[in-house]
């Protein structure tokens, strides 16, 4: 096993399941081929046949293990059946509980379960359910953010909670480079999970303007104005010029009453995109992309280029090794 391997993978680097379909087969395969953990994102609706196709397409691009991320807040039972039938290496679940009986069902199929949490109480439930690893999402994270605690306070508490059980803890939120990886290890984490940095890669299925904006802009905003009618939870987004001019939305308003500003094909289905929708632009998106939501974590100001995903993994490992060696010598 390579440096800081977790869950049977070579390296302790997890590529977050990026929605709506930004972490597609090409990105996941590139991450897996580099020895890290690549995660597809299951559709936010029941689409078992489509999900099976995604999994099988990914297998044509890599012989390495990979996983699938599932948002439990959306319909997922049929999708989960496919994940277990296809026996992917792991399933990452978030935004809900995944009780012990379902963990046992996954284990019977040979699938590991990784639960992403944002509150200490959620970590206790995940531990009791017998999960194989816990991703601790800090408030610094991009996209939909579960909790309010930062990584510096939350990660050590979860590490202490599960230390006697041998459950690996993976830190997520604002991490984009070797310094963030090293800091996470110092907090007791066994690995890191990155979303924003993997959006800004060659193989991600994000719209080119979204990728470019991640490399050019530096600030984020924690808000609740995007996608209220579909999923009214707080999220961290890139501080674009549109957001700076339109950062407030009355509590009684949502995207349903707003004009259509674009169109896309998401997980095989044609979709209209309205102003203030929660749908990040993928590569098939057309229209006024500059006014669409672009999720990003607090570390976005450190992203200056669009790299191949495999090169990103290689750099992270080598630079983190070097940094740790320097710190030990000092």
């Amino acid at each position: 096993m390579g440096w800081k391997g977790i869950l049977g993978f070579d390296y302790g680097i997890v590529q977050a399941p990026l929605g709506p379909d930004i972490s597609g087969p090409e990105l996941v395969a590139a991450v897996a081929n580099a020895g890290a953990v690549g995660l597809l994102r299951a559709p936010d609706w029941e689409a078992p046949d489509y999900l099976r196709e995604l999994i099988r397409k990914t297998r044509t691009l890599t012989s390495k293990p990979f996983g699938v991320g599932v948002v439990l807040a959306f319909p997922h039972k049929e999708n989960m059946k496919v994940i277990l039938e296809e026996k992917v290496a792991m399933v990452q679940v978030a935004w809900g509980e995944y009780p012990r009986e379902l963990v046992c069902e996954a284990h019977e199929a040979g699938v590991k379960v990784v639960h992403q949490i944002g509150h200490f109480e959620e970590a206790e439930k995940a531990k009791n359910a017998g999960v194989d690893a816990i991703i601790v999402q800090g408030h610094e994270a991009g996209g939909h953010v579960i909790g309010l605690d930062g990584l510096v306070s939350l990660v050590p508490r979860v590490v202490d909670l599960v230390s006697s059980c041998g459950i690996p803890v993976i830190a997520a939120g604002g991490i984009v480079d070797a310094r963030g990886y090293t800091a996470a290890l110092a907090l007791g984490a066994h690995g890191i999970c990155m979303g924003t940095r993997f959006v800004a890669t060659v193989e991600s299925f994000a719209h080119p303007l979204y990728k470019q904006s991640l490399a050019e802009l530096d600030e984020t905003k924690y808000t609740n104005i995007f996608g209220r009618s579909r999923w009214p939870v707080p999220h961290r987004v890139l501080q674009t010029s549109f957001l700076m001019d339109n950062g407030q939305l009355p509590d009684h308003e949502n995207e349903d009453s707003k004009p259509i500003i674009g169109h896309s094909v998401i997980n095989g289905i044609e979709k209209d995109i309205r102003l203030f929708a929660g749908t990040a632009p993928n590569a098939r998106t057309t229209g006024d992309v500059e006014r669409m939501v672009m999720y990003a974590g607090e570390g976005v100001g450190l992203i200056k280029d669009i790299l191949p995903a495999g090169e990103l993994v290689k750099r992270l490992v080598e630079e983190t090794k070097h940094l740790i060696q320097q710190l030990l010598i000092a």
Side-chain angles (χ1 to χ4, degrees):
M1 186 181 296
W3 186 75
K4 284 296 173 187
I6 52 172
L7 300 174
F9 293 82
D10 291 339
Y11 303 121
I13 299 169
V14 180
Q15 163 251 305
L18 306 166
D21 55 3
I22 289 173
S23 57
E26 290 76 14
L27 175 59
V28 171
V31 172
N33 286 333
V37 185
L39 296 175
L40 293 167
R41 167 73 180 270
D44 293 338
W45 54 86
E46 297 287 22
D49 293 338
Y50 183 83
L51 180 55
R52 196 184 302 275
E53 289 180 12
L54 279 182
I55 293 170
R56 293 183 176 180
K57 181 178 180 180
T58 306
R59 284 187 171 136
T60 68
L61 302 174
T62 183
S63 60
K64 298 288 189 71
F66 60 90
V68 180
V70 176
V71 177
L72 300 176
F74 297 117
H76 59 270
K77 291 183 179 179
E78 296 303 313
N79 292 340
M80 193 66 73
K81 286 181 181 178
V82 168
I83 292 169
L84 301 189
E85 289 171 0
E86 290 293 321
K87 298 184 183 299
V88 299
M90 58 178 278
V91 58
Q92 182 256 31
V93 294
W95 292 94
E97 294 184 31
Y98 202 65
R100 175 172 287 276
E101 57 266 28
L102 296 183
V103 173
C104 291
E105 183 182 2
H107 287 169
E108 289 175 1
V111 177
K112 295 175 181 177
V113 179
V114 177
H115 202 134
Q116 178 170 299
I117 62 94
H119 303 283
F120 183 74
E121 294 75 18
E122 290 180 310
E124 291 184 300
K125 293 178 181 178
K127 172 189 173 184
N128 293 334
V131 301
D132 298 281
I134 295 175
I135 296 176
V136 177
Q137 184 198 53
H139 189 64
E140 305 91 337
H144 295 86
V145 183
I146 300 174
L148 296 174
D149 294 327
L151 286 180
V152 171
S153 60
L154 188 55
V155 168
R157 292 186 69 198
V158 177
V159 168
D160 290 346
L161 172 72
V162 301
S163 60
S164 63
C165 305
I167 298 176
V169 173
I170 301 160
I175 300 171
V176 299
D177 63 10
R179 290 168 293 182
Y181 196 167
T182 303
L185 296 176
L187 293 172
H190 300 80
I192 57 170
C193 179
M194 301 190 303
T196 307
R197 190 63 188 92
F198 277 112
V199 176
T201 57
V202 172
E203 296 89 348
S204 98
F205 200 59
H207 192 279
L209 181 60
Y210 184 6
K211 296 184 187 184
Q212 178 185 344
S213 298
L214 292 176
E216 294 179 351
L217 302 180
D218 297 333
E219 301 296 329
T220 66
K221 182 173 182 178
Y222 180 72
T223 183
N224 70 346
I225 64 174
F226 292 101
R228 283 179 179 171
S229 70
R230 176 175 170 271
W231 196 14
V233 298
H235 36 268
R236 186 175 301 281
V237 299
L238 195 63
Q239 183 79 282
T240 60
S241 57
F242 166 75
L243 188 62
M244 285 188 283
D245 295 335
N246 301 271
Q248 302 295 324
L249 188 68
D251 291 342
H252 65 279
E253 293 187 23
N254 60 44
E255 69 271 28
D256 288 346
S257 62
K258 302 300 179 181
I260 294 172
I261 61 170
H263 306 275
S264 190
V265 178
I266 299 169
N267 295 134
I269 297 179
E270 294 186 6
K271 298 276 189 179
D272 293 330
I273 299 179
R274 294 185 178 273
L275 190 67
F276 291 109
T279 305
N282 66 16
R284 294 193 180 98
T285 301
T286 59
D288 194 354
V289 177
E290 291 184 350
R291 293 201 290 168
M292 296 179 188
V293 63
M294 299 182 187
Y295 300 110
E298 287 186 346
V300 69
L302 299 170
I303 299 174
K304 302 302 179 184
D305 49 17
I306 311 299
L307 293 174
E311 183 179 340
L312 172 59
V313 172
K314 181 180 178 181
R315 282 194 190 182
L316 272 169
V317 171
E318 292 179 349
E319 291 175 5
T320 304
K321 277 184 178 180
H322 180 67
L323 180 55
I324 290 174
Q325 289 169 352
Q326 284 185 316
L327 293 171
L328 290 174
I329 292 173

